[in-house]
Amino acid sequence: MAITSSGQIKFSELRTELNQSGAFSIATAAEGGYEVINTNSASTPNSDPPHAISEWYGYDHDAAPAYSNTRYYQNDGTGDYIDCTTTSAPFNINTTQDLSFSVWLRHTGSKANQQIWNFSNTTANGNNRIFLTYSANLNRFVVRYRSNSVNFDRQFALHDNSGATGISSSSSGWSNTSRGTVNSDNFCMVTITYDASQSTAAGAFKLYWNATECTTTAASNNGTRTNLGGATKGRIGEQVHQTNSAGNATLDYDELKIYNKVLSSSEVTTLYNSGTIADSTQTVSSGLITEWTFDDNTVNDSNSSYTCTKVNGVITAY
């Protein structure tokens, strides 16, 4: 595959282009207006003739390279999910712990119910959890704190927030043919903030599509919350207490981040990073509890809080 003429490039792409597997360095040619590659280390360049690559000309060679993820997780809706457990929960689900959840999503299927992410204190009771779902019938995102069958939630109709989501029709809804406002790889970033001190769900929850807040609420419930304790179990792509349940996600995932604070709108904008998916070291690291990435073909928790297991599904390169 030829190197692109603009934007970010990876050393792996250079190796592929030049058919090189070992170390190499980049040096500016004295004349000729192009870059050359030495296939040994920078300190001991070899005597091989340099490889001229016209595709390299025109890049900002002096600027620090922008971060770019290389892999993401594919969930095809049939028994796929990522299951994460811990014996020492990195955060609590209660009325005192502020939280923010942010994840990059790419829809790959038809309009259908989606279980996006779930966190719980136990596997025994399916009622006790905090989670984000998509309701196909209502074309809504639903963020819910559920305790003992009592719902404390806020619901956002995507078509009523079309200025943020880019989805204007309830009938077409959210699907692989109606993804809304996405980046160049067809991913959107969905961020939920939870202000635990608020007594109403409308006050407690905010939802951002990319860097824009969805301000129109379709519905909300203000049921009494009980202290669920530490979030010892988490799952993306499936209900945390039930495998192969209705609502298994047809989504691609990247960079799930959880914070122990309410992210500000400016922090969400920084996190969005103009549509470039980046890790917390490149965007927002303050208050980060855990970050799940897939860049070495496994599921990684950057803070070693959870042990994560991929159950089916595929981790693949961009």
Side-chain angles (χ1 to χ4, degrees), residues 156-278:
F156 304 83
L158 302 191
H159 54 284
D160 289 341
N161 290 279
S162 59
T165 65
I167 297 173
S168 58
S169 169
S170 176
S171 59
S172 60
W174 189 38
S175 69
N176 61 346
T177 58
S178 179
R179 287 173 169 151
T181 305
V182 294
N183 70 5
S184 59
D185 290 313
N186 293 313
F187 278 82
C188 63
M189 188 184 80
V190 176
T191 302
I192 297 292
T193 65
Y194 170 62
D195 184 342
S197 68
Q198 296 296 312
S199 60
T200 65
F205 291 117
K206 289 184 179 181
L207 183 147
Y208 297 83
W209 181 287
N210 295 329
T212 305
E213 183 182 353
C214 295
T215 56
T216 301
T217 300
S220 62
N221 296 286
N222 299 317
T224 302
R225 291 163 288 173
T226 59
N227 179 17
L228 302 184
T232 57
K233 191 169 182 64
R235 186 172 290 173
I236 61 176
E238 184 50 282
Q239 216 247 61
V240 73
H241 300 285
Q242 180 182 356
T243 59
N244 298 317
S245 65
N248 187 265
T250 51
L251 300 170
D252 294 338
Y253 287 81
D254 205 356
E255 291 288 340
L256 172 70
K257 301 179 179 71
I258 306 173
Y259 294 84
N260 61 6
K261 67 179 185 179
V262 176
L263 290 169
S264 67
S265 60
S266 62
E267 286 177 314
V268 174
T269 298
T270 300
L271 202 60
Y272 178 59
N273 196 32
S274 300
T276 300
I277 303 175

Side-chain angles (χ1 to χ4, degrees), residues 104-138:
W104 288 85
L105 303 169
R106 177 169 60 190
H107 210 305
T108 60
S110 60
K111 180 185 177 185
N113 293 334
Q114 306 286 332
Q115 294 277 353
I116 299 173
W117 52 255
N118 292 254
F119 288 89
S120 174
N121 68 324
T122 176
T123 60
N125 188 341
N127 293 321
N128 293 336
R129 55 196 178 108
I130 187 170
F131 60 92
L132 175 65
T133 64
Y134 169 74
S135 168
N137 291 338
L138 301 172

Side-chain angles (χ1 to χ4, degrees), residues 14-87:
L14 289 174
R15 289 191 178 96
T16 300
E17 180 76 7
L18 300 172
N19 195 28
Q20 296 288 341
S21 60
F24 60 84
S25 64
I26 301 170
T28 304
E31 64 272 347
Y34 57 84
E35 302 290 329
V36 299
I37 302 297
N38 289 320
T39 55
N40 283 350
S41 69
S43 60
T44 56
N46 66 9
S47 59
D48 293 344
H51 303 275
I53 51 173
S54 60
E55 294 96 334
W56 186 252
Y57 180 74
Y59 283 92
D60 183 358
H61 314 305
D62 297 325
Y67 179 87
S68 177
N69 280 341
T70 60
R71 295 184 179 271
Y72 60 92
Y73 172 64
Q74 295 176 298
N75 190 311
D76 69 4
T78 307
D80 296 357
Y81 58 92
I82 289 176
D83 190 66
C84 299
T85 59
T86 182
T87 56

